[in-house]
């Protein structure tokens, strides 16, 4: 496993220590988990943006879709 170093504000370190203590985890575990979640979200957002920029993806009109859905009941 690789090691990294980051500088963060003192208040963030205090919050990190409080979370680590409450969860009975190490700072490293909390930071690793937070980075995993962030990177998962980043990947999801990247895919979403790529799909939105896809010119082959049809654009749907909300009023039409809503009307179709209401009529299908």
């Amino acid at each position: 496993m690789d090691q990294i170093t980051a500088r963060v504000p003192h208040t963030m370190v205090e919050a990190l220590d409080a979370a680590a203590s409450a969860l009975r985890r190490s700072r490293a575990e909390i930071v690793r988990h937070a980075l995993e979640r962030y990177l998962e979200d980043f990947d999801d957002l990247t895919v979403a943006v790529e799909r939105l920029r896809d010119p082959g993806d049809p654009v749907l009109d909300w009023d039409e879709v809503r009307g179709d859905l209401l009529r299908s009941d």
Side-chain angles (χ1 to χ4, degrees):
M1 195 176 299
D2 292 337
Q3 183 174 339
I4 63 170
T5 302
R7 295 187 184 276
V8 296
H10 181 71
T11 54
M12 192 177 288
V13 173
E14 288 177 335
L16 174 60
D17 286 341
S21 177
L23 296 169
R24 295 188 175 162
R25 302 280 186 253
S26 68
R27 280 182 178 176
E29 287 177 282
I30 302 296
V31 170
R32 190 169 28 255
H33 181 72
L35 281 171
E36 287 170 359
R37 298 284 302 265
Y38 177 86
L39 293 172
E40 287 171 4
D41 288 349
F42 180 78
D43 287 343
D44 291 343
L45 288 170
T46 300
V47 169
V49 168
E50 286 174 2
R51 289 181 181 166
L52 286 171
R53 290 183 177 162
D54 181 0
D57 194 19
V59 175
L60 303 176
D61 179 84
W62 167 244
D63 291 326
E64 263 183 56
V65 172
R66 183 174 178 268
D68 290 345
L69 289 171
L70 291 173
R71 282 190 293 276
S72 69
D73 285 343

